Amino acid sequence: MYISSHNSFRWLAARIFLIGIGPLFILFVVLCSRVVQNFLEDAATPALRYAQALVGSHEMRTTEDMRVKLSMLLPSGQWILQNEVNAITSSNIEDVEEQMRLIETVHNQNGDHTSSIYVPMWPISPNSSVWLHVYVPGAGSVFYGVSIESLLPGATFSFGLCLTLFFSLLVTSIFNSVIFSSFVHEKLAQERVLREKLEQKLIESNRLSAQTRVVAGIAHEINTPLAIMIQEAGWVKELLEDLQEQVDLLNKEPRKALCATFAEMDKSLNVMRKQGKRCADITHGLLRMSRKGAENKAEVDVNAVVQDVGHLLQPKATELGIAFKWQLNAFVPAYASSGHVQQILLNVVNNAIDAVATSESEARKVIVSTFSTKQSVLIRVTDTGAGLSLELKNRIFEPFFTTKAAGQGTGLGLSISHALARRNNGNLSVESSPGKGSSFTLTLPVAEVDFLPAM
C-alpha cells in the first residue's frame, strides 16, 4: 500500500505534537503555580502590612506580642520565635529539625532581617503553608505559617484539578500518538516493501533493455559461423564422394591423392569445430546473462564475466569499426552478485562503444581490464571517446541524465549500475576529461579465499 499525503501529514503532526507537548506541560504547570502564588501572596499581604505598621509604631516590643497579634488576624497555624542571635526561643512545632528546615527555607528566600511572605513553589499539598516572616528590631523574628486551605479555601483543590485534567489529557494524547505511530510504522514498512519491489522491477527492466541492444549483433555473430559450418559441411560431403571414387580406383591411382583428401577433410572439420565452439561461447554467455536468481552474493570470477560480456558485445563493436579487447589480470574472485556484475559491465561497455562510435577520434577502441589486490577486485572500462567535462562527470550517475540524443537513451543505465555497485559493497567511479576519453572503474570486495599468491 502507498502512504497518501494525508497520512504523511498526520504522521508529521503527531511527531510535532509529541516533541512540543513536554515543554508546553512544564510551562502550563509553572504558570498555574505562579498564579496560585500570586493569589496567596495577595491574601497574606494585609496581615504583613499590619505587622509592619505595628513594628514601625514601636507598639511591639517582643516577638511573643507580635505572634499574638498575628494569630488574631490569621487562622491559627504553626509558629516559630527566634531571638536576635537566631536562636529559637519557642515554637509549637515539636520537631527541631523541621523548625530549622523551615527557618532556613524562609531565610534563603528573604534574608535574616527582612519582613516578607514565603509561598511554596508548588502549592499542591494540603499541608503546604504560607509563612509570614516579621522582624522585630531588638527582639528577633516571628515565623508564622498558615495552611493554604485556611488562607485561601479551594486553592489547592483548583490547582490539583488543573494538573489532573492536564495530565489526563497528556496521557491520552501520548497513548493516541503511540497507537498512531504503530500505524505509521506499518505503513512505512509496506512502502519500503513496495519500493524494493519497484526497484527490482526497474533493475530487471534495465537488464532486459541492455540485452535487447545486443540481440541483433548476437544474431549476426551466430549466423556467420553457422554459414561457415554449413559451407564446410558441404565441402566435406563432396570430399567424401571423391574419397569413394578414389577408393574404387585405389589400385590405379597413387596413394598420395588419398592422403591429400583426408588432410582436406581434417582441415574442414577443424574449421567446423572452431566455429561451433564460437557459437557455443556466444549462446552460453547469453544464457548466463539471462538467468535470474543471481541476486545472492557469492564468489564471482570477474575474468569469466568479462569474457561473457565481451562475446556478446564484440559483434556490435566490430560492426562499428571499433577495436574491442579485454585484458584479464585478476587473480582472486570477487564477492558479489554475478548477475549484478554482468549488468553493470553490459551498461558501461555499451556506453563506451556508443561514445567511441560518435567521436571523431582516430584511435577507435574499447579496452576492458581486470585487476586485483588483497582487498579489492577492479574492472576498468577505458574508451577513446570524446570524454566528459567536469559538469557532465558530476552528473553522470544521476537518474534520467543522458548525453545521448532524444530517443537513444533513458539515462537509467549508469544510475542503476552505480546503485548495484553500492548494493554489492563496491563502487563505480569515472575518470574523464574532454577529448581524452573516459575510464569507468568498478571496485568490488575480494571473496574470502584460502590463500593469496605473492604480490
Side-chain angles (χ1 to χ4, degrees), residues 74-188:
L74 299 171
S76 58
Q78 298 174 323
W79 50 268
I80 303 172
L81 302 183
Q82 194 178 53
N83 58 22
E84 278 288 321
V85 294
N86 295 333
I88 298 176
T89 56
S90 62
S91 175
N92 64 349
I93 301 175
E94 296 181 358
D95 189 349
V96 177
E97 292 183 359
E98 180 68 13
Q99 295 175 11
M100 298 303 298
R101 186 188 67 80
L102 292 172
I103 292 176
E104 183 179 359
T105 301
V106 176
H107 279 177
N108 288 339
Q109 177 174 319
N110 304 310
D112 294 343
H113 304 295
T114 304
S115 297
S116 59
I117 300 173
Y118 169 76
V119 180
M121 181 65 181
W122 306 107
I124 190 172
S125 173
N127 298 325
S128 299
S129 299
V130 177
W131 286 84
L132 273 70
H133 174 210
V134 181
Y135 175 68
V136 181
S141 298
V142 178
F143 298 90
Y144 195 88
V146 184
S147 66
I148 292 176
E149 285 295 326
S150 299
L151 185 62
L152 191 62
T156 302
F157 174 77
S158 300
F159 184 67
L161 180 62
C162 291
L163 292 184
T164 301
L165 292 176
F166 191 81
F167 183 74
S168 300
L169 178 62
L170 175 65
V171 171
T172 302
S173 301
I174 293 177
F175 177 77
N176 291 334
S177 298
V178 170
I179 297 298
F180 183 72
S181 297
S182 63
F183 165 77
V184 171
H185 180 74
E186 179 183 357
K187 293 297 182 182
L188 290 178

Side-chain angles (χ1 to χ4, degrees), residues 2-13 180 183:
Y2 179 74
I3 297 182
S4 65
S5 58
H6 176 66
N7 287 332
S8 299
F9 175 77
R10 288 176 60 193
W11 176 52
L12 178 61
F180 183 72
F183 165 77

Side-chain angles (χ1 to χ4, degrees), residues 242-305:
D242 292 342
L243 178 62
Q244 184 63 41
E245 294 178 358
Q246 292 174 11
V247 169
D248 294 338
L249 301 175
L250 184 60
N251 296 326
K252 300 180 181 180
E253 298 292 333
R255 185 177 297 272
K256 183 177 179 181
L258 181 60
C259 294
T261 302
F262 276 111
E264 289 291 332
M265 291 176 60
D266 183 67
K267 182 179 178 181
S268 296
L269 289 175
N270 287 335
V271 172
M272 293 172 63
R273 188 182 301 110
K274 180 179 178 181
Q275 297 302 324
K277 186 177 182 301
R278 184 179 177 187
C279 290
D281 290 340
I282 294 172
T283 54
H284 291 167
L286 181 60
L287 288 174
R288 283 192 292 268
M289 292 287 290
S290 63
R291 285 195 190 105
K292 295 186 65 175
E295 294 289 332
N296 297 329
K297 295 180 182 179
E299 292 186 4
V300 178
D301 184 356
V302 296
N303 293 334
V305 174

Side-chain angles (χ1 to χ4, degrees), residues 260-395:
T261 302
F262 276 111
E264 289 291 332
M265 291 176 60
D266 183 67
K267 182 179 178 181
S268 296
L269 289 175
N270 287 335
V271 172
M272 293 172 63
R273 188 182 301 110
K274 180 179 178 181
Q275 297 302 324
K277 186 177 182 301
R278 184 179 177 187
C279 290
D281 290 340
I282 294 172
T283 54
H284 291 167
L286 181 60
L287 288 174
R288 283 192 292 268
M289 292 287 290
S290 63
R291 285 195 190 105
K292 295 186 65 175
E295 294 289 332
N296 297 329
K297 295 180 182 179
E299 292 186 4
V300 178
D301 184 356
V302 296
N303 293 334
V305 174
V306 169
Q307 287 179 320
D308 289 341
V309 174
H311 287 307
L312 293 177
L313 295 178
Q314 181 75 60
K316 177 180 178 180
T318 303
E319 183 181 356
L320 296 173
I322 299 173
F324 183 34
K325 301 178 181 179
W326 51 85
Q327 301 171 353
L328 308 178
N329 302 306
F331 55 81
V332 292
Y335 183 72
S337 164
S338 60
H340 289 169
V341 177
Q342 291 169 351
Q343 186 170 351
I344 294 170
L345 279 182
L346 199 59
N347 285 327
V348 174
V349 176
N350 256 321
N351 284 348
I353 293 175
D354 292 340
V356 175
T358 57
S359 70
E360 299 179 356
S361 174
E362 295 181 359
R364 298 168 63 83
K365 59 184 177 179
V366 174
I367 300 175
V368 182
S369 306
T370 63
F371 310 91
S372 57
T373 65
K374 291 184 178 181
Q375 293 79 27
S376 304
V377 177
L378 298 88
I379 306 175
R380 183 167 298 152
V381 180
T382 305
D383 65 66
T384 57
L388 300 171
S389 64
L390 180 60
E391 180 183 0
L392 294 178
K393 189 166 62 174
N394 292 334
R395 300 187 58 191

